[in-house]
Amino acid sequence: TSFGFQEVKEEEKSKLVGNVFTNVASSYDIMNDVMSGGLHRLWKERLVGKLSPFAGMKHLDVAGGTGDVAFRIYDAVYSVKRRALQKVDEASLEETQIYVCDINPNMLNVGKQRAAERGLRDNKSLVWVEGDAEALSFDDNSMDGYTIAFGIRNVTHIEKALAEAYRVLKRGGRFLCLELSHVEIPVFKNLYDLYSFQVIPNLGELIAGDRESYQYLVESVRRFPPQERFASMIADAGFEKVEYENLVGGVVAIHSAIKL
Ligand code: SAM
């Protein structure tokens, strides 16, 4: 075409690129809402509720994508302030650091854009870091909390990611993982299989124009270790008090543990 990408001025180009990311992210978010019937929001709330965020904490959200979990943690910390204004001093609030780590810079860019929309563009409590769950750039014993939501299923070596989670957490630090898991309830399992294999790829094609990715998603869920097996992998990484909670009969599970 005569309107080649080359000819677009730098400034306009970055605007175009920005729009592409926005489109990717918005179809990503719409898909999450459609596939889960909006439930992923409740699941993330539950995850953050279990974390019990506090002012001044150092937290790492791995595979943080567009900041969905991080913003919830941020809101929880800052609403703790609203609830107990007298008890939380401004200084410790400002020491709060929530690191969002993701391997995909495009996702992080969308997250940063979201932060700006929330008036948090240069907020010092939110730190965006490109990085791999299997080889984190953070110091040993540096984090009070570690979360990973719908992310660990995608890493190549789950054991490595768990070992890294253990390494970066302080003693007493909390590990929390939200992931699509396994349904074992008869009949519900059949319905869920039907939904996964028949409906999800079609939704992916219809809404995101991407059947394959959503077919892959369904297959990766099947390959992911069942709740008990994953719990023992977490224990093998050195964690204590390993527990899990099934939500919607195991469609998702939240695994939690502590580094003692
Ligand atoms: N946590 C977000 C949420 O719940 O909405 C995003 C989940 S998204 C399904 C999975 C994310 O994991 C993607 O943003 C992807 O870039 C990231 N990811 C995949 N492999 C990773 C790795 N090895 N290390 C860090 N992030 C990874």
Side-chain angles (χ1 to χ4, degrees):
T1 64
S2 60
F3 191 68
F5 206 62
Q6 301 292 317
E7 296 162 37
V8 182
K9 283 199 214 103
E10 274 308 305
E11 191 185 327
E12 287 165 285
K13 191 160 141 184
S14 68
K15 226 183 262 172
L16 279 178
V17 173
N19 286 342
V20 171
F21 292 152
T22 311
N23 291 343
V24 168
S26 60
S27 85
Y28 169 80
D29 283 346
I30 291 167
M31 274 305 285
N32 280 345
D33 273 328
V34 172
M35 285 186 303
S36 74
L39 285 175
H40 75 105
R41 294 164 186 268
L42 298 183
W43 299 335
K44 286 169 184 165
E45 292 293 341
R46 179 82 185 147
L47 178 79
V48 172
K50 284 188 159 220
L51 176 69
S52 308
F54 58 90
M57 83 182 299
K58 302 272 173 285
H59 184 82
L60 174 59
D61 182 46
V62 173
T66 58
D68 233 21
V69 171
F71 291 134
R72 282 181 170 82
I73 297 173
Y74 181 92
D75 288 346
V77 168
Y78 280 76
S79 81
V80 165
K81 182 209 173 190
R82 279 202 297 278
R83 283 205 304 270
L85 211 53
Q86 271 77 30
K87 286 181 196 152
V88 178
D89 62 296
E90 203 64 34
S92 69
L93 195 61
E94 276 166 18
E95 278 170 24
T96 309
Q97 301 243 269
I98 304 161
Y99 296 90
V100 186
C101 170
D102 199 286
I103 206 163
N104 183 340
N106 300 353
M107 295 292 271
L108 289 174
N109 281 338
V110 177
K112 287 180 205 168
Q113 207 170 303
R114 295 250 160 98
E117 283 159 18
R118 288 167 169 256
L120 303 172
R121 184 191 295 279
D122 294 316
N123 190 286
K124 292 196 174 59
S125 290
L126 288 168
V127 190
W128 306 86
V129 184
E130 193 180 326
D132 185 348
E134 294 185 27
L136 296 172
S137 59
F138 304 94
D139 288 341
D140 297 3
N141 311 307
S142 60
M143 298 289 164
D144 296 295
Y146 174 109
T147 46
I148 184 163
F150 306 118
I152 203 149
R153 199 186 63 245
N154 300 312
V155 310
T156 316
H157 307 98
I158 296 172
E159 289 88 350
K160 278 192 192 164
L162 291 173
E164 280 293 84
Y166 188 83
R167 180 182 68 75
V168 301
L169 277 168
K170 297 177 187 172
R171 304 231 163 253
R174 311 273 317 274
F175 168 88
L176 284 155
C177 172
L178 173 65
E179 192 49 90
L180 290 158
S181 201
H182 296 264
V183 173
E184 297 302 344
I185 304 164
V187 186
F188 182 51
K189 179 179 165 47
N190 300 342
L191 288 172
Y192 180 58
D193 282 347
L194 201 70
Y195 177 73
S196 305
F197 289 110
Q198 306 298 327
V199 181
I200 287 190
N202 285 319
L203 284 177
E205 187 165 10
L206 210 69
I207 296 167
D210 184 355
R211 185 184 189 86
E212 267 177 24
S213 294
Y214 286 91
Q215 211 140 19
Y216 165 79
L217 181 148
V218 172
E219 282 155 20
S220 71
V221 175
R222 300 301 139 144
R223 277 198 304 273
F224 190 69
Q227 288 86 328
E228 284 294 336
R229 170 88 194 97
F230 183 47
S232 35
M233 290 171 78
I234 297 169
D236 289 346
F239 285 103
E240 312 258 359
K241 299 197 188 304
V242 183
E243 290 170 8
Y244 68 87
E245 176 187 24
N246 282 335
L247 304 173
V248 200
V251 169
V252 299
I254 298 176
H255 282 75
S256 64
I258 300 180
K259 173 173 170 178
L260 288 180

